[in-house]
Amino acid sequence: MSTRWLGEPVARREDPRLLTGQGRYLDDLGRDALAAAFVRSPHAHARIRDIDVSGALDVDGLIAVYTWEDLPERVGRPLPLLIPHPALTHGRTAYPLARDVVRHVGEPVVMVVATDRYAAEDACALIRVDYEPLKPVVGLEEAVQGAQLVHEDVPGNVGAHLVQEVPSADGRGAREAIESAPHTLAFRLDIERSASMPLEGRGVYARWDGRDLRVYSSTQTSTSVRMAVAAALGLPLPQVEVIAPDVGGGFGVKIVHPWPEEILVPWAAMTLNREIKWTEDRREHFVSSAHERAQVQYVRVGFDDDGRLLGLDVTILHDHGAYTPYGIIVPIVTSTQLLGPYKPGAYRVEFTAVYTNTVQVTPYRGAGRPQGVFCMERTLDKIARYLGKDRTEVRAVNFIQPGEFPYDQGMTFQDGRPLIYDSGNYPEMLRMIKELIGWDSFERRPGRGIGIGCYVEGTGVGPYEGGHVQVTSDGRVHVSTGLTSQGQGHETAFAQIAAAELGVPIERVSVVTGDTRRFGYAVGTFASRAAVVSGNAIALACRKVREKALRIAADALEADPADLTVTDGVVHVAGTPSASIPLSTVAVLANPLRYAFDEEAARATQFSGAADPGKPPVAEGDEPGLEGRDYYSPIRSTFAAGMHAAIVETDPDTAEIKVVKYAVVHDCGRLINPMIVEGQIHGGVAQGIGGALYERMVYDQHGQLVNASFMDFLMPYATEIPPIETGHLETPSPLNPLGVKGAGEAGVIPVSAVIASAIEDAEGIPIDRMPISPSELYALRVNRRP
């Protein structure tokens, strides 16, 4: 295998197409399709008494109007609960169109189909829904009181409750270990609600030819949408195709499936026998997609004079919004990834997930990890401050050491597998990040502070992904895999893997993702899993192709396959370059032909003399063509890690917060493309700065989202993002053939913890809630004054 493409900063091959306007996003498709639009609830909690559509019937261009009562039984069922869990005792999902009760502002109630979106929106405006408003449940404190219920059959609004506990080495529980520790601290931490804001919102376009259904969706999981649509519409799976075209960002919100629109639009296309399209507007994305982050954490910790953790007890309240379509993955990830690179002594974590009359909560880039890291890193900062120690010293004394891997944290991770870290070198990462940020030489002064945060990220979760690789007679390599792309650089990284495995120029490799016509079995793009799971599947498929190519070439060259190698698309005998055969010719010989379509094909016909007449043209157990398919199914997750540090300055008058320097050290195992990894880290840090200083979803007491537009929901500009210095550490994973770990979510995970640490250092004020605004920092200053 030639490895010259792995580890190289190859420029992203998809960028020229995307940056010059040649991308094909969902709304670029179906120009002649009918348009769908939705009447959505203006109330956070209300009973539907009547729906009067008569006012819309005279709208020019109206095609159809649907309420829940118009849906067939199979289509009108509640949407699936995608990830059941024993602790999710009261899981609830929405109907595609609200049946009797609406439970958050933005829930779809009526679907309208018209000749264009203008007519559809006009019709929506004329439909009258008679609501009986009910008292909404807003915020965690109100939810846990249980005086009002989001779902009448869910006592106390509690959807899930889970406790995991790992005793200390001497068998003591966390609470006992804390009580007997030399020092203890107890405090509360808050992370507020936020949401991903991809450039492109959700969208669905469907067409039906009387037998087969083709659906285009701006999704992170085309194969899963395919199965969900087939199940809901009662179609055999082979009669459903789902394609993810170019997708303008996902960040987790597009892993949820099926959205109501992904069922309703295809169903209406079949019912009306017309092409139909729906594209989400920005207001809809705010009030009818998904949010994340909101948690309250109660922490008790016991430690010794060195700051070593002896016992940690964390109780988490998690706001799940109105529904739980994605199960309780977010709080599970928080409660397990909270441990980071540390040995916590005895650890107990308990979370309660409660319903509120707000938009549902599902994974958003980081998926519960930012909350967990905020908890642990704030805890270590408080220990350091209490003991008067350097914050990095307290971290170092608690690190898992390089010789202790694999390290079993004794818990169950989000994939249902043991939480066992596969590899890492945390002391070296700390040395690197201190050097990058200038920790030891940092000069403190009022309004200037430095902060640090460490994390471990479970990546590459199963159950599997697959890859198909085909070499055609022109020497080109065609790679396909079922997961989707939303800007991660898959076309480049997967091409690098194939080029390295097959020994071909990368320019000869093409990659297709997210098209169920090309690859029908997959799980999806989330949890920093693409490089680990699809990357290894593609590598394994390439190895099958390579083995077959060498076997065929050995016959043609009258050589031993063990003596052959492939370089720049040519198979040759090692040490004898003249004894060679192009891979393109091998592809021809791999497919015995009766007819010659061109000069190259003539080499494989029956009178060419290329085949042994004593053997069948296609050997028993073999297949024609030079192609291979394989799957990679990880035994458990790989665990990437990283450390971030930042320097901030706070204005003495306005309390504005400026991040002036940011540094990252990241370990994602063996690097495929360091430039792509750095791009992912930079984008993640920018998103993390948004989450730390700007982005929050604000609900009033009536359950109204009061900042549901880019006029009010703040995001950082490029001017708010400082230069980011990046260092790479490679500790290859022993769990997969390529030795890789994931990198997609890493950049965002510790940022709130890092910036909180730096602000606290600059101001001398405890920072226990994020995000933080200048007005909030100013209020903390005022409250500190005697």
Side-chain angles (χ1 to χ4, degrees):
M1 179 183 77
S2 167
T3 60
R4 67 187 181 95
W5 292 111
L6 289 183
E8 293 298 315
V10 176
R12 286 171 37 121
R13 306 170 74 210
E14 47 269 78
D15 284 355
R17 174 173 58 84
L18 298 176
L19 295 176
T20 57
Q22 302 303 306
R24 296 281 286 170
Y25 298 89
L26 188 123
D27 204 40
D28 295 319
L29 310 175
R31 295 299 180 106
D32 298 323
L34 301 178
F38 292 86
V39 175
R40 298 183 184 274
S41 170
H43 299 283
H45 199 192
R47 198 173 309 281
I48 300 172
R49 291 192 288 213
D50 184 55
I51 301 174
D52 181 2
V53 303
S54 60
L57 299 181
D58 293 329
V59 170
D60 188 29
L62 179 71
I63 302 296
V65 178
Y66 302 108
T67 67
W68 178 84
E69 292 182 345
D70 298 311
L71 303 179
E73 187 274 334
R74 193 177 192 118
V75 175
R77 295 172 183 171
L79 298 168
L81 198 164
L82 295 170
I83 306 178
H85 190 283
L88 182 56
T89 54
H90 293 79
R92 297 293 181 269
T93 62
Y95 290 91
L97 293 172
R99 181 176 178 178
D100 300 309
V101 177
V102 292
R103 293 185 172 88
H104 67 86
V105 172
E107 187 163 356
V109 179
V110 183
M111 177 184 182
V112 171
V113 180
T115 51
D116 57 53
R117 183 65 175 260
Y118 300 101
E121 295 283 3
D122 287 346
C124 286
L126 295 171
I127 292 172
R128 299 288 174 255
V129 183
D130 182 13
Y131 294 100
E132 176 191 344
L134 303 172
K135 177 81 169 64
V137 176
V138 184
L140 282 162
E141 283 79 4
E142 188 170 339
V144 297
Q145 290 172 5
Q148 304 292 330
L149 298 180
V150 177
H151 300 272
E152 293 180 356
D153 58 346
V154 179
N157 293 310
V158 175
H161 179 255
L162 180 64
V163 178
Q164 290 199 66
E165 184 161 10
V166 182
S168 63
D170 60 7
R172 289 184 301 168
R175 291 177 173 174
E176 182 184 357
I178 293 168
E179 292 301 325
S180 60
H183 310 284
T184 62
L185 291 171
F187 47 92
R188 168 178 166 160
L189 301 169
D190 290 75
I191 293 278
E192 296 187 37
R193 177 180 284 236
S194 185
S196 59
M197 287 291 155
L199 279 173
E200 180 197 29
R202 298 178 295 123
V204 189
Y205 161 49
R207 62 183 193 231
W208 167 252
D209 67 6
R211 182 184 182 278
D212 295 324
L213 176 69
R214 178 175 294 181
V215 178
Y216 295 83
S217 181
S218 182
T219 181
Q220 293 175 229
T221 174
S222 55
T223 53
S224 295
V225 171
R226 180 193 187 202
M227 287 187 278
V229 169
L233 303 185
L235 291 172
L237 194 63
Q239 289 177 225
V240 179
E241 300 170 347
V242 174
I243 301 162
D246 289 324
V247 175
F251 308 116
V253 69
K254 295 179 184 177
I255 191 62
V256 182
H257 62 278
W259 289 100
E261 300 86 359
E262 286 174 324
I263 299 298
L264 295 170
V265 170
W267 170 76
M270 294 175 62
T271 301
L272 299 172
N273 198 24
R274 300 283 298 275
E275 296 183 12
I276 300 176
K277 182 172 69 174
W278 168 78
T279 53
E280 180 181 63
D281 64 34
R282 189 54 60 178
R283 164 77 182 179
E284 285 181 299
H285 188 80
F286 272 98
V287 301
S288 63
S289 57
H291 302 164
E292 214 233 80
R293 301 287 194 257
Q295 287 184 359
V296 173
Q297 304 164 341
Y298 299 93
V299 183
R300 292 187 69 239
V301 61
F303 50 97
D304 64 17
D305 293 342
D306 294 323
R308 185 174 289 105
L309 297 171
L310 302 177
L312 180 63
D313 185 7
V314 182
T315 301
I316 299 169
L317 290 178
H318 177 77
D319 182 350
H320 227 132
Y323 301 108
T324 53
Y326 212 75
I328 52 174
I329 290 300
V330 172
I332 287 175
V333 171
T334 298
S335 60
T336 53
Q337 300 275 256
L338 185 155
L339 295 171
Y342 310 111
K343 296 180 283 189
Y347 176 52
R348 181 184 186 276
V349 62
E350 174 181 5
F351 72 75
T352 302
V354 297
Y355 290 107
T356 59
N357 288 117
T358 57
V359 173
Q360 66 191 17
V361 166
T362 65
Y364 161 36
R365 192 178 192 178
R369 296 176 186 88
Q371 301 96 307
V373 172
F374 186 73
C375 180
M376 179 60 92
E377 296 301 302
R378 293 278 69 211
T379 298
L380 294 174
D381 282 350
K382 288 178 183 294
I383 291 172
R385 188 169 186 172
Y386 177 90
L387 295 173
K389 289 183 172 292
D390 186 286
R391 286 164 287 169
T392 63
E393 290 180 24
V394 171
R395 285 164 172 80
V397 79
N398 286 290
F399 280 154
I400 299 163
Q401 298 300 307
E404 295 181 285
F405 291 96
Y407 189 85
D408 189 348
Q409 289 281 21
M411 304 187 76
T412 300
F413 191 43
Q414 64 145 313
D415 54 2
R417 301 290 174 121
L419 187 72
I420 300 174
Y421 296 175
D422 47 327
S423 65
N425 188 340
Y426 308 140
E428 174 62 12
M429 296 184 82
L430 182 62
R431 184 199 66 78
M432 292 172 67
I433 193 66
K434 289 177 68 176
E435 182 177 308
L436 270 182
I437 200 67
W439 185 273
D440 292 332
S441 59
F442 177 71
E443 296 181 6
R444 283 177 175 78
R445 60 176 183 263
R448 191 168 185 264
I450 191 170
I452 190 169
C454 311
Y455 63 93
V456 170
E457 179 195 1
T459 72
V461 300
Y464 72 91
E465 288 294 342
H468 178 264
V469 177
Q470 180 183 28
V471 181
T472 50
S473 60
D474 56 2
R476 296 183 183 275
V477 179
H478 305 271
V479 177
S480 58
T481 185
L483 58 64
T484 61
S485 298
Q486 305 93 48
Q488 296 92 336
H490 293 160
E491 290 182 37
T492 306
F494 293 160
Q496 287 181 255
I497 292 171
E501 292 284 344
L502 294 174
V504 300
I506 195 170
E507 297 80 12
R508 306 292 285 175
V509 183
S510 63
V511 177
V512 172
T513 63
D515 187 338
T516 63
R517 298 170 301 177
R518 293 288 297 273
F519 208 97
Y521 290 93
V523 180
T525 303
F526 58 95
S528 303
R529 66 189 302 274
V532 179
V533 193
S534 269
N536 277 287
I538 289 166
L540 293 172
C542 285
R543 292 176 190 184
K544 282 187 174 181
V545 171
R546 181 184 174 87
E547 185 276 330
K548 184 174 183 178
L550 295 183
R551 173 165 49 86
I552 294 169
D555 286 342
L557 296 172
E558 298 181 345
D560 188 332
D563 295 332
L564 300 181
T565 188
V566 188
T567 306
D568 290 329
V570 177
V571 184
H572 57 84
V573 179
T576 312
S578 59
S580 63
I581 182 172
L583 201 59
S584 57
T585 302
V586 176
V588 171
L589 297 178
N591 183 25
L593 296 172
R594 182 171 179 82
Y595 306 111
F597 305 108
D598 54 29
E599 264 187 52
E600 196 67 26
R603 296 171 181 257
T605 55
Q606 56 265 49
F607 296 111
S608 66
D612 182 346
K615 298 178 181 178
V618 178
E620 185 177 348
D622 211 345
E623 295 180 357
L626 188 55
E627 58 185 296
R629 179 188 300 265
D630 212 334
Y631 293 84
Y632 174 68
S633 181
I635 188 170
R636 59 180 182 271
S637 295
T638 60
F639 286 87
M643 298 183 190
H644 293 202
I647 296 172
V648 306
E649 293 179 353
T650 57
D651 189 282
D653 298 317
T654 66
E656 289 179 282
I657 302 159
K658 182 179 181 181
V659 184
V660 297
K661 184 176 181 180
Y662 206 97
V664 176
V665 174
H666 183 60
D667 173 12
C668 59
R670 188 182 184 191
L671 283 169
I672 297 171
N673 186 319
M675 186 164 60
I676 287 179
V677 172
E678 287 189 19
Q680 290 278 37
I681 289 171
H682 289 190
V685 169
Q687 211 159 12
I689 289 174
L693 301 178
Y694 301 97
E695 301 170 9
R696 72 182 77 197
M697 294 293 183
V698 181
Y699 280 94
D700 67 15
Q701 71 271 26
H702 305 294
Q704 296 291 331
L705 187 60
V706 300
N707 62 334
S709 77
F710 285 154
M711 290 291 289
D712 303 297
F713 178 82
L714 301 181
M715 292 189 291
Y717 297 137
T719 51
E720 275 67 65
I721 308 302
I724 301 167
E725 295 186 45
T726 307
H728 297 291
L729 178 68
E730 293 186 71
T731 62
S733 173
L735 298 182
N736 61 74
L738 292 176
V740 298
K741 306 173 186 177
E745 296 179 89
V748 77
I749 291 170
V751 184
S752 285
V754 172
I755 292 178
S757 180
I759 295 171
E760 185 169 292
D761 188 49
E763 295 281 331
I765 303 172
I767 305 298
D768 294 336
R769 175 188 291 271
M770 294 297 271
I772 186 169
S773 67
S775 59
E776 288 165 326
L777 179 56
Y778 183 83
L780 289 174
R781 287 175 176 176
V782 171
N783 292 333
R784 178 183 58 178
R785 295 170 186 164

